Amino acid sequence: MINPQWLMTFKTLIETGHFTQTAELLHMTQPGVSQHIKKLEQACGYPLITRYNKQFEMTEQGRLVYQYSEQQTHQYQKLINNLQTDSAYEGTCKIACSGSFALSLYPQLLHLQHQYPKLHFHLEAAPNNKILDSIENNTIDMGIVTQSPINDLFDTTIIGQERLCLVFPLQYENNNINSDLLTTCGLIDHPDAQYYLSKYFKDCGSHNLVDIKIEQLPITSYINQLNQILIAVAEGIGFTVLPQSAIDHFENKDKLYIATPITAVTEQLFIIQKRYRHLPKRYQTVTSLLASLCR
């Protein structure tokens, strides 16, 4: 690694053409300038200037070192400029959320990008635990999750709630929902199904469902692609449980039966980010969008 102070002395010397002027500009002595050039030459392993009659010319190696010093100066100035620029409408936002919420969020992010072309989005659909891991590892900056983290690594803000729906093929409409019906119908399993079912059975207010052992329900199909889950339900293969947003974006809703619970089942939505990490202003723009979307 070349000493940046020696490099600056060399760059200044080349641009002034004089040891005396270089010393004055850098508030050094002339022998100090000569010492820097000597140390830089030793570090590079080549003479960088050829001295003659109190003047000098760059060697070929000196020309390359000077070009390098110009690049370093340019990169430094670019860094300083970037540090000073923190725009609410420019840069890339790295966000993660559930697949169902992404169906609602992504079109809104695209609309925002049309308004502000320099604002870009990296949106990843993932389950809660993957989102937390990604934020902890700094591969994602902001997440929307349905469970508040239990540790103190994250800052959490409630932004709203979303309804959970128990979804059946249409032929099960108006049937009494109990253990026998669920066993007959069979579960369309997906990565969040166990969590959603547990919450739904616990909070829906139906005594027929609260004691059902979820792990004993027969699984008739498994799919981890959100946009495919309801296809199996519409085809009569089985039932499932999903957030309302997933159902809203399904084309064949007329082939589904949404059970009406005694008590509406909802899950809260939280914005999370890494504690003590100050995010750029552009994430405030995203937060405002999320607040309006979840209102």
Side-chain angles (χ1 to χ4, degrees):
M1 182 77 181
I2 296 177
N3 187 306
Q5 191 172 2
W6 302 342
L7 203 60
M8 177 56 69
T9 301
F10 178 71
K11 182 176 182 296
T12 305
L13 176 64
I14 298 304
E15 292 172 351
T16 63
H18 298 278
F19 278 82
T20 302
Q21 291 182 26
T22 299
E24 291 174 352
L25 285 172
L26 299 180
H27 306 289
M28 299 172 63
T29 64
Q30 188 169 329
V33 172
S34 296
Q35 187 72 6
H36 277 193
I37 301 304
K38 182 179 179 181
K39 289 181 177 179
L40 181 61
E41 289 179 324
Q42 290 174 344
C44 293
Y46 295 94
L48 303 180
I49 59 174
T50 301
R51 295 171 176 82
Y52 66 97
N53 299 329
K54 295 186 179 181
Q55 299 181 51
F56 64 85
E57 286 289 343
M58 279 191 294
T59 64
E60 177 61 18
Q61 289 81 7
R63 184 184 65 81
L64 295 174
V65 172
Y66 177 70
Q67 289 177 349
Y68 174 77
S69 70
E70 284 188 310
Q71 294 169 0
Q72 293 296 102
T73 301
H74 174 73
Q75 290 296 321
Y76 171 77
Q77 191 57 54
K78 183 179 179 181
L79 172 63
I80 295 301
N81 292 339
N82 288 340
L83 292 175
Q84 295 172 346
T85 303
D86 186 10
S87 170
Y89 307 109
E90 185 174 341
T92 300
C93 294
K94 295 183 178 181
I95 311 164
C97 64
S98 69
S100 60
F101 192 72
L103 293 173
S104 300
L105 178 58
Y106 191 56
Q108 297 301 318
L109 293 178
L110 293 180
H111 178 70
L112 201 59
Q113 189 166 341
H114 276 298
Q115 289 181 273
Y116 308 105
K118 292 185 177 181
L119 187 62
H120 304 144
F121 298 99
H122 171 112
L123 181 62
E124 182 175 337
N128 285 344
N129 61 335
K130 175 69 162 46
I131 294 173
L132 296 179
D133 289 343
S134 297
I135 292 178
E136 186 175 352
N137 295 326
N138 297 318
T139 56
I140 290 294
D141 297 324
M142 177 180 286
I144 300 94
V145 297
T146 56
Q147 295 171 277
S148 181
I150 59 175
N151 58 45
D152 59 357
L153 295 175
F154 308 97
D155 281 330
T156 306
T157 304
I158 298 176
I159 56 169
Q161 59 185 16
E162 186 169 32
R163 180 185 169 202
L164 281 181
C165 300
L166 195 60
V167 193
F168 292 87
L170 188 61
Q171 64 263 33
Y172 288 87
E173 186 174 11
N174 298 326
N175 277 260
N176 183 34
I177 299 173
N178 52 36
S179 178
D180 290 340
L181 180 73
L182 297 177
T183 300
T184 299
C185 187
L187 173 65
I188 307 298
D189 198 12
H190 56 82
D192 290 318
Q194 303 295 315
Y195 164 70
Y196 286 158
L197 279 175
S198 177
K199 182 172 181 58
Y200 190 95
F201 291 166
K202 176 175 174 291
D203 296 344
C204 70
S206 173
H207 297 298
N208 292 332
L209 302 179
V210 69
D211 292 325
I212 289 178
K213 297 185 184 305
I214 297 171
E215 66 276 7
Q216 294 181 3
L217 291 173
I219 296 174
T220 54
S221 183
Y222 174 89
I223 181 71
N224 65 354
Q225 296 296 317
L226 180 73
N227 59 353
Q228 302 291 310
I229 297 171
L230 290 175
I231 294 177
V233 180
E235 291 291 331
I237 305 299
F239 78 95
T240 197
V241 58
L242 285 170
Q244 180 69 53
S245 56
I247 298 165
D248 291 341
H249 288 84
F250 185 62
E251 291 184 355
N252 297 318
K253 288 188 285 292
D254 58 330
K255 295 183 178 181
L256 305 176
Y257 165 57
I258 314 300
T260 303
I262 298 171
T263 304
V265 181
T266 61
E267 56 179 358
Q268 291 181 316
L269 295 173
F270 302 89
I271 293 177
I272 61 166
Q273 65 182 73
K274 203 171 188 179
R275 182 162 290 179
Y276 307 119
R277 184 178 178 193
H278 179 71
L279 295 182
K281 288 182 180 178
R282 58 184 177 269
Y283 284 95
Q284 297 175 14
T285 303
V286 175
T287 300
S288 298
L289 173 66
L290 290 169
S292 63
L293 192 61
C294 298
R295 192 172 297 154

